[in-house]
Every structure is written in structure tokens, then in C-alpha cells.
Amino acid sequence: VGFRALPGGYRYLASGYPSFFNIQGQTSDAYFWTSTQSSLDATRAGSVHISGSAPAVDFVANSPKSHGYSVRRVEDATP
């Protein structure tokens, strides 16, 4: 059992204009949304950052939903 993640890049709004990073694979990090809703407000949610340069996985509880992260489908394996 394991988990593999490829860097998918991310998007965020800077000064009202979308900024794109890692579209051409310029970084080794991966960002994913979680199903966790933020306790602050409905414009934020949980996310996971997986570092490709260090053995680290970080959970961020209050990422702005205006950021563009990857979505990963997870389901139980059929026996």
C-alpha cells in the first residue's frame, strides 16, 4: 500500500490576476485539496503539500479556495 504523487503545479490569484506555477514542471512539489472545510469561513479549505525535495508532507488547514490545487480521487480497493 502506498501513495504516489506527481507534481501538478498550482495557481493562485495575485492582485486579482491568476498566476501559474509549475505548468512546465519547474518544481517538484505537489499540492492537493482535502475534503476538510475551514473553520474560519467558506472561502477556505484544507490542503496537503507534498515536497519533492525533502521528506515532508504538510497539512494546511486554511488555504484560500481561489488557489488552484490538484484533486485526487481516493477509493477503497475492491477485494
Side-chain angles (χ1 to χ4, degrees):
V1 176
F3 177 87
R4 291 179 186 254
L6 295 174
Y10 62 94
R11 174 188 54 83
Y12 75 96
L13 293 176
S15 302
Y17 297 98
S19 297
F20 295 94
F21 293 91
N22 192 25
I23 294 175
Q24 302 299 322
Q26 298 154 346
T27 181
S28 60
D29 295 353
Y31 298 83
F32 294 95
W33 289 115
T34 70
S35 60
T36 306
Q37 180 70 30
S38 171
S39 60
L40 294 179
D41 61 57
T43 66
R44 296 179 171 272
S47 66
V48 174
H49 169 223
I50 302 172
S51 174
S53 60
V57 175
D58 300 311
F59 176 75
V60 181
N62 297 303
S63 296
K65 289 182 179 179
S66 60
H67 289 190
Y69 295 150
S70 299
V71 176
R72 181 170 170 90
R73 178 181 169 179
V74 179
E75 61 183 25
D76 291 333
T78 305

